Amino acid sequence: MPTISKISVQKRSAERYNVYLDGKYSFPVSEKVLYSHELKVGLELTQEKIDSIIKDEGYEKIYFKILNFLSYRVRSEHEVVTRMRDYFYKGGIEKDLGQVFEEKILKTLRDLDLINDEKFVEQYIENANLLKSPPGRQKIREFLMKKGVSRDIIDDGLGKYTLETERLGAEKALNKKLRSMKDTLDYKAKQKIYQFLLRKGYSSDVVSAVVDSKFEV
């Protein structure tokens, strides 16, 4: 059986190691895999053991890539799954093994509360409430749906996005649009602005209220 002849720390990372079998480089491992498999010089490895080590190393590599992906901002579960599957594809990980990794990683992330679509929506809407020009509800809904969030979770979250906040955003968008218009404020101009605000994602009730407040036609 192949025997571990050398274990060396990688130059770029003190937490990663290169494992040599019978004097030849064989595979890299993380510190966690090194200790969990109790790897040491002189240890004989069966092919089954080597395969198990490489499998665990593959899992650790993907898991830490996902942790790095989550470190930049809060992500929806759909975003995490999409990125994970991209890593599987680029890493040449077979479909069945990828499914095992995916289920295990998602469970770990949920247990650690690192992915939570309810909190993802809550934070996004809190931030939207604080913007100087708050977006329309439909824009928020479209954004969250693109992130793969379920309709029920979105609806619950939008309950905390007040009509007053949306009205404020619509008024600011309306005033900015009016400053750029040279047309007389007639019926045509009113309809043009109405459609403009609807396209911005503001609800029809809010749009009607803010437009009617500016036009007497």
Side-chain angles (χ1 to χ4, degrees), residues 11-55:
K11 292 181 179 180
R12 294 185 178 181
S13 174
E15 297 179 350
R16 292 189 60 76
Y17 301 80
N18 293 325
V19 178
Y20 294 75
L21 300 179
D22 298 333
K24 296 181 180 180
Y25 169 75
S26 185
F27 50 81
V29 294
S30 65
E31 191 170 68
K32 181 178 178 180
V33 172
L34 180 78
Y35 289 114
S36 66
H37 284 273
E38 300 180 337
L39 302 181
K40 59 184 178 181
V41 173
L43 179 67
E44 294 183 337
L45 300 177
T46 63
Q47 187 57 52
E48 183 179 2
K49 181 67 171 178
I50 293 172
D51 291 343
S52 177
I53 292 168
I54 293 174
K55 176 183 175 182

Side-chain angles (χ1 to χ4, degrees), residues 140-151:
I140 293 176
R141 183 182 296 280
E142 289 173 1
F143 172 84
L144 293 174
M145 288 185 71
K146 285 180 181 179
K147 297 300 180 181
V149 180
S150 74
R151 192 176 297 274

Side-chain angles (χ1 to χ4, degrees), residues 116-130 134-135 137 140-141 144 152-166:
N116 183 316
D117 279 357
E118 286 84 357
K119 287 188 176 180
F120 174 77
V121 171
E122 182 179 348
Q123 181 173 321
Y124 183 79
I125 289 177
E126 283 179 359
N127 291 337
N129 271 307
L130 296 174
R137 282 171 172 258
I140 293 176
R141 183 182 296 280
L144 293 174
D152 288 343
I153 292 176
I154 295 173
D155 289 342
D156 288 343
L158 282 172
K160 298 178 182 178
Y161 194 67
T162 67
L163 286 174
E164 186 57 37
T165 299
E166 189 178 15

Side-chain angles (χ1 to χ4, degrees), residues 5-199:
S5 54
K6 178 182 176 181
I7 298 176
S8 62
V9 179
Q10 291 186 356
K11 292 181 179 180
R12 294 185 178 181
S13 174
E15 297 179 350
R16 292 189 60 76
Y17 301 80
N18 293 325
V19 178
Y20 294 75
L21 300 179
D22 298 333
K24 296 181 180 180
Y25 169 75
S26 185
F27 50 81
V29 294
S30 65
E31 191 170 68
K32 181 178 178 180
V33 172
L34 180 78
Y35 289 114
S36 66
H37 284 273
E38 300 180 337
L39 302 181
K40 59 184 178 181
V41 173
L43 179 67
E44 294 183 337
L45 300 177
T46 63
Q47 187 57 52
E48 183 179 2
K49 181 67 171 178
I50 293 172
D51 291 343
S52 177
I53 292 168
I54 293 174
K55 176 183 175 182
D56 288 351
E57 174 59 24
Y59 171 83
E60 289 295 312
K61 189 174 182 180
I62 297 294
Y63 177 65
F64 281 103
K65 280 188 175 184
I66 291 297
L67 287 182
N68 183 62
F69 179 61
L70 287 168
S71 69
Y72 294 98
R73 64 169 176 81
V74 178
R75 311 276 185 177
S76 69
E77 184 167 317
H78 176 74
E79 287 181 281
V80 171
V81 169
T82 299
R83 180 57 62 95
M84 200 186 315
R85 290 176 181 174
D86 184 54
Y87 290 150
F88 295 156
Y89 175 76
K90 291 179 178 178
I93 296 174
E94 295 180 357
K95 184 177 179 180
D96 290 346
L97 182 58
Q99 288 178 341
V100 172
F101 284 179
E102 182 177 313
E103 290 174 7
K104 186 177 178 181
I105 290 173
L106 288 178
K107 182 180 186 308
T108 300
L109 295 176
R110 292 187 192 112
D111 290 345
L112 294 172
D113 206 26
L114 292 177
I115 51 171
N116 183 316
D117 279 357
E118 286 84 357
K119 287 188 176 180
F120 174 77
V121 171
E122 182 179 348
Q123 181 173 321
Y124 183 79
I125 289 177
E126 283 179 359
N127 291 337
N129 271 307
L130 296 174
L131 293 174
K132 291 183 178 180
S133 297
R137 282 171 172 258
Q138 188 56 33
K139 282 293 182 183
I140 293 176
R141 183 182 296 280
E142 289 173 1
F143 172 84
L144 293 174
M145 288 185 71
K146 285 180 181 179
K147 297 300 180 181
V149 180
S150 74
R151 192 176 297 274
D152 288 343
I153 292 176
I154 295 173
D155 289 342
D156 288 343
L158 282 172
K160 298 178 182 178
Y161 194 67
T162 67
L163 286 174
E164 186 57 37
T165 299
E166 189 178 15
R167 181 188 177 100
L168 173 64
E171 286 177 343
K172 291 195 173 186
L174 169 60
N175 291 333
K176 184 177 180 180
K177 182 67 173 176
L178 287 174
R179 288 194 294 271
S180 69
M181 291 180 66
K182 297 180 181 180
D183 299 334
T184 304
L185 298 184
D186 55 12
Y187 179 77
K188 282 188 176 181
K190 179 178 180 179
Q191 291 303 307
K192 183 185 293 186
I193 291 176
Y194 188 91
Q195 293 301 320
F196 166 76
L197 292 176
L198 287 179
R199 289 194 299 273

